[in-house]
Amino acid sequence: KSDEIAALNSVAAFAGRSLAQSEVFAYSLNEALRTSGADAGAVYLVEGGEFRLKGAAGFDDLFTKDGQAVPLGAFAGFERKKQGWIMVEAEFPDNEFSRLLKLFGTALVSVSPMAYDNEVRGLLLITYRDASRFEGESVPFFEALASCVSVASGHSGLFQKELASRKFLDRLIQQMP
């Protein structure tokens, strides 16, 4: 547990120093894999009515290429269980994304919703090729990490909007006689 707390603190500290979402996603995924012993992880954000891959660690090129866009319904088979949002390979729904996970050799997936401003904005996906290596106690860590990442992402998005507004106003002011 102390490794997980240290990882969460490290991610929060890193997010406080970076406004680049991609850097925060990459750092968070590396911390998740290092701390949990998982094989791979990904961050998906909701964009245009689907989940879009925004960061990945541990996956091969096929997964990162073919897993770029995932329909919102791809995770419909995931149900909240005692150990959290997990699914073993035998329970994967019959869809393209599940087939992609199987091609990668995934035996177990943990999915943690990323909520910001009372709205699910994305998912933190953590995978194991050997389901016996998964410890159910890792789920609260993944959920806390997803929360930390979603707050950092949300704040970064707000900053980008504010910056765009300021640039727009600066251009208007410069155009005035």
Side-chain angles (χ1 to χ4, degrees):
K1 293 293 180 198
S2 62
D3 285 349
E4 293 173 351
I5 292 170
L8 289 170
N9 286 334
S10 178
V11 167
F14 184 85
R17 294 188 309 268
S18 175
L19 288 171
Q21 286 184 345
S22 60
E23 291 177 2
V24 173
F25 296 155
Y27 188 85
S28 301
L29 289 167
N30 287 327
E31 284 295 293
L33 302 185
R34 182 189 62 76
T35 304
S36 67
D39 294 299
V43 171
Y44 282 91
L45 295 183
V46 177
E47 285 182 0
E50 61 188 2
F51 288 111
R52 302 287 303 173
L53 182 65
K54 296 298 179 178
F59 285 111
D60 58 17
D61 291 339
L62 174 67
F63 183 91
T64 55
K65 179 179 157 271
D66 290 352
Q68 283 292 320
V70 178
L72 294 177
F75 299 96
F78 285 77
E79 296 178 18
R80 180 96 174 144
K81 298 183 180 183
K82 182 178 161 188
Q83 308 95 332
W85 298 88
I86 62 166
M87 184 176 287
V88 294
E89 188 267 337
E91 299 172 339
F92 286 178
D94 184 26
N95 62 42
E96 287 300 315
F97 187 67
S98 292
R99 285 188 275 290
L100 188 58
L101 287 171
K102 289 178 185 178
L103 277 174
F104 182 69
T106 301
L108 183 138
V109 176
S110 173
V111 177
S112 301
M114 294 172 48
Y116 183 75
D117 199 21
N118 294 322
E119 185 179 318
V120 174
R121 304 273 177 106
L123 298 171
L124 173 67
L125 184 88
I126 304 293
T127 69
Y128 291 82
R129 287 184 166 168
D130 179 358
S132 68
R133 289 193 3 247
F134 173 75
E135 297 178 14
E137 300 88 46
S138 295
V139 171
F141 166 64
F142 296 146
E143 291 175 343
L145 185 61
S147 179
C148 183
V149 171
S150 64
V151 168
S153 175
H155 281 81
S156 175
L158 289 174
F159 174 79
Q160 297 300 329
K161 285 180 184 177
E162 188 67 30
L163 185 61
S165 293
R166 183 178 175 152
K167 286 180 179 181
F168 175 74
L169 288 173
D170 285 346
R171 281 193 306 264
L172 283 178
I173 290 170
Q174 290 174 357
Q175 292 174 1
M176 294 179 120

